[in-house]
Amino acid sequence: MRGLGWSDDDVPTDEARLVTTAGHAVYGDHCLYLPFAHSYDVGGELWPDDFWGSLPGWSSRPAGREEFKAHIDAAIERFAEQLGPPDCDVRTEGRHLTIGRYSRRYAAWRRDGNILVIGVALDGYSYAQDEEAVIYIGEFATDRPFPDAAGFLNLMHT
């Protein structure tokens, strides 16, 4: 990863391990956990300032749920162009008290004992009030069944 220009200097958060040349924080000791879009509201006590939008390589603008979902769909399509259709593609809808109605999509590709997931996780910096779209690569047994939509959230851990 350092050969790609990723660095462990000046990472934007304490939990990050590396930062890409585009300014994206990379997490995980035994996996790759790479957020590529965040859904959050600036203002109030939790986010008085636009933390993510102020970091190098990031931009911020008012956007709704549909645009956030479009980022996830686009990432899934780009990976599918290279890897073929996902081995698992699940969607869920529900209600979370802090963000109102939501819908989530997770797509996964299995290769030998590993899994690549594109999906939505809860942002730890907001105490799980906000969301982030992530690329996750980690170990996943070849005979392990894919989790349902709710289980994918627990699958992606750092």
Side-chain angles (χ1 to χ4, degrees):
M1 291 180 187
R2 283 187 177 81
L4 296 172
W6 296 13
S7 169
D8 57 3
D9 298 328
D10 300 323
V11 292
T13 63
D14 292 340
E15 291 81 11
R17 301 295 181 251
L18 297 166
V19 64
T20 69
T21 55
H24 295 261
V26 180
Y27 304 86
D29 290 324
H30 304 287
C31 67
L32 180 128
Y33 184 99
L34 175 65
F36 62 91
H38 293 269
S39 175
Y40 62 99
D41 292 318
V42 176
E45 292 181 30
L46 187 59
W47 290 112
D49 301 308
D50 189 0
F51 171 75
W52 292 110
S54 67
L55 293 174
W58 287 89
S59 64
S60 180
R61 64 183 177 281
R65 300 289 308 156
E66 293 305 314
E67 186 172 343
F68 181 66
K69 287 170 31 180
H71 287 295
I72 296 160
D73 292 342
I76 291 170
E77 289 173 20
R78 295 288 302 272
F79 275 95
E81 289 171 5
Q82 299 298 314
L83 302 174
D87 297 311
C88 182
D89 192 344
V90 294
R91 299 164 197 259
T92 185
E93 292 192 27
R95 178 160 179 76
H96 189 280
L97 293 177
T98 56
I99 61 173
R101 289 209 54 77
Y102 67 84
S103 79
R104 292 193 178 120
R105 179 182 182 196
Y106 302 91
W109 293 260
R110 184 192 321 249
R111 297 296 185 266
D112 297 320
N114 297 298
I115 191 171
L116 163 68
V117 178
I118 309 295
V120 179
L122 299 175
D123 174 46
Y125 296 105
S126 67
Y127 301 102
Q129 295 183 67
D130 299 322
E131 296 175 301
E132 58 189 8
V134 302
I135 298 168
Y136 172 88
I137 301 173
E139 292 181 351
F140 195 77
T142 57
D143 59 347
R144 182 176 171 190
F146 287 106
D148 62 11
F152 264 107
L153 190 60
N154 294 327
L155 173 73
M156 296 183 290
H157 61 280
T158 59

